[in-house]
Amino acid sequence: MTAGSPSTPATVALERAGIPYTPHVYEHHETATNFGEEAAAALGLREEQVFKTLVVSVDGSLAVAIVPVANRLDLKAIAAAVGGKKAVLADPTIAEKRTGYVVGGISPVGQKTQLRTVVDESALTYPSIFVSGGRRGFDIEVAPADLVRVTEATSAAIART
């Protein structure tokens, strides 16, 4: 375990896979509702390099979309990226149950149920990106290629402004 890093299913999965990461802990405010923006501001990062993990239902099957905090998820693009027709955001209760994480702390890594994952292609332009480490107030910095490998993700243009 990296010093100063909380142990979460995400950190355990990264360590098991031998993937290096840097933990970033910040103070989460209970009143915050936009968790990605809160993380970017607290860590002094550009929102384009901090990615949110969204669970979607595509034609009734769950999938994970990883998009920059600065952008919105293009539902038609995520549906197409996983070979479906229609996507909607998953019910938060279902997302929590299937991933094992709470909303605002859903990590793309170490989920209870491995879901099809798509990373927005913009992630690949950075040497490292920040994603939830598995709880509110905890992000992990990881190389995009390593994130793609550990989540068995594909990449596609799924974000829009």
Side-chain angles (χ1 to χ4, degrees):
M1 184 162 72
T2 304
S5 172
S7 180
T8 65
T11 61
V12 170
L14 290 170
E15 289 163 10
R16 190 174 293 136
I19 293 176
Y21 67 94
T22 304
H24 295 273
V25 178
Y26 60 92
E27 185 178 344
H28 165 66
H29 298 282
E30 290 303 318
T31 56
T33 55
N34 193 319
F35 305 104
E37 286 178 6
E38 178 189 39
L43 298 173
L45 300 167
R46 292 179 34 236
E47 291 184 358
E48 294 81 9
Q49 197 174 357
V50 179
F51 285 70
K52 55 190 169 186
T53 305
L54 301 171
V55 180
V56 295
S57 176
V58 179
D59 301 335
S61 295
L62 294 182
V64 172
I66 304 170
V67 295
V69 168
N71 299 101
R72 296 176 55 146
L73 173 62
D74 183 328
L75 292 169
K76 287 183 178 170
I78 184 66
V82 297
K85 292 185 180 359
K86 183 174 184 197
V88 296
L89 288 176
D91 177 275
T93 305
I94 292 170
E96 289 180 344
K97 185 175 183 180
R98 291 290 296 275
T99 64
Y101 295 116
V102 298
V103 169
I106 294 178
S107 178
V109 181
Q111 295 180 357
K112 190 162 46 167
T113 305
Q114 177 75 33
L115 301 172
R116 287 191 66 185
T117 302
V118 181
V119 177
D120 184 66
E121 64 187 13
S122 69
L124 304 177
T125 66
Y126 295 99
S128 66
I129 61 170
F130 296 75
V131 296
S132 175
R135 70 172 208 199
R136 295 173 185 163
F138 177 47
D139 268 26
I140 49 179
E141 181 179 1
V142 64
D146 287 340
L147 179 67
V148 166
R149 191 176 74 225
V150 76
T151 59
E152 299 177 9
T154 56
S155 65
I158 59 169
R160 63 182 171 90
T161 53

